[in-house]
Amino acid sequence: MRHILDRPIWSALDTAHASLAEGNERARRYPPSIVPFAASADETPESLEALENLPEADETMLLVEAGPIAIPRGLAAVSEALAVQMIAERRHERITDSRIQPLSEADAEEMLALATLTKPGPFTRRAQSLGTFWGIKAEGRLIAMAGQRLRQTGFAELSGLCTHPQFQRRGLGTLLFRFVAGEIAARGETAYLHAYANNTPAIGLYRSLGFRLRSDMNLRVVKRRA
């Protein structure tokens, strides 16, 4: 029996993020202005056809699954990568720090600029539609942030963790990581995350912070065939 996190995009759009879903019971995606994630319900021809019909001609979609990803005939893979999914192996304590503050719509442009600079993963101006983000500011600007992205019943993805290069090696990323993990645990949910398989420094850090490897993951960016 598959784990709910083996196909995290579909399980999120079928549970906690169902209100954000575009598509139908065969294939769904998030609005592209929020995040380019999409998934089919299964690998039947009907579901793959529904997935194929989701994007416009100039749109790309990101698929993430634990096993091999079936791509409809009408879609082509633009890029692919290997990732890992890690999950909290203990309940993280809720912490407080006066430097950490919730981010709002007023911070959206700064959040996007920081994510564009540091590349923590797919990020858009509307990322806050997925969940709460928190940040640390200094010298009148946002210098570090982290938040929540995918959510399923009982689970929440810790995501968007990044620190401006000028303020790295000060423990800000670790602090925000522990903070967000604690907030997720305080809701009675289990935190998890994704990292590129070749990002061994990050994976090592996450292990030291109480996360373990749950599964290898496949990533595919797809678009309509010309």
Side-chain angles (χ1 to χ4, degrees):
M1 183 177 180
R2 277 190 161 187
H3 192 282
I4 192 172
L5 296 183
D6 284 350
R7 303 182 69 248
I9 297 172
W10 177 262
S11 58
L13 290 170
D14 196 41
T15 59
H17 281 166
S19 63
L20 296 174
E22 295 182 349
N24 55 35
E25 71 280 358
R26 292 291 187 180
R28 294 173 181 162
R29 71 171 183 178
Y30 286 92
S33 60
I34 295 178
V35 74
F37 292 161
S40 59
D42 48 46
E43 296 178 359
T44 62
E46 295 81 6
S47 294
L48 293 179
E49 181 181 3
L51 180 65
E52 178 181 328
N53 291 330
L54 286 178
E56 299 294 335
D58 59 341
E59 291 178 337
T60 59
M61 301 190 304
L62 177 59
L63 317 178
V64 181
E65 296 185 23
I69 299 177
I71 300 177
R73 287 178 296 178
L75 298 180
V78 176
S79 64
E80 57 185 55
L82 297 176
V84 295
Q85 186 183 87
M86 303 182 73
I87 192 167
E89 56 184 356
R90 61 176 173 81
R91 181 183 176 87
H92 286 71
E93 295 182 3
R94 200 172 195 179
I95 63 172
T96 59
D97 190 293
S98 60
R99 293 172 293 177
I100 300 174
Q101 55 185 284
L103 300 177
S104 69
E105 174 63 23
D107 301 299
E109 291 296 340
E110 272 199 285
M111 293 169 66
L112 179 58
L114 182 59
T116 301
L117 175 66
T118 57
K119 297 177 170 53
F123 201 91
T124 68
R125 194 184 184 284
R126 295 186 60 200
Q128 293 176 84
S129 301
L130 301 174
T132 305
F133 279 76
W134 294 268
I136 296 174
K137 297 182 179 182
E139 302 174 2
R141 59 174 170 155
L142 181 67
I143 62 170
M145 70 174 180
Q148 302 162 91
R149 189 168 61 181
L150 299 178
R151 290 187 67 184
Q152 299 82 6
T153 303
F155 297 91
E157 182 192 22
L158 194 161
S159 185
L161 180 67
C162 55
T163 303
H164 193 284
Q166 294 178 353
F167 294 88
Q168 291 177 357
R169 301 186 183 278
R170 302 186 187 186
L172 300 181
T174 297
L175 173 63
L176 281 166
F177 187 101
R178 292 175 54 228
F179 179 89
V180 177
E183 293 298 301
I184 292 172
R187 295 200 306 263
E189 298 176 346
T190 300
Y192 71 99
L193 58 85
H194 293 101
Y196 285 110
N198 60 2
N199 192 353
T200 51
I203 293 172
L205 173 63
Y206 302 151
R207 287 185 187 275
S208 73
L209 291 170
F211 278 59
R212 63 171 175 82
L213 178 66
R214 197 202 74 81
S215 179
D216 294 325
M217 304 294 286
N218 292 302
L219 282 68
R220 298 288 187 275
V221 176
V222 299
K223 67 180 298 184
R224 282 187 177 275
R225 290 187 181 276

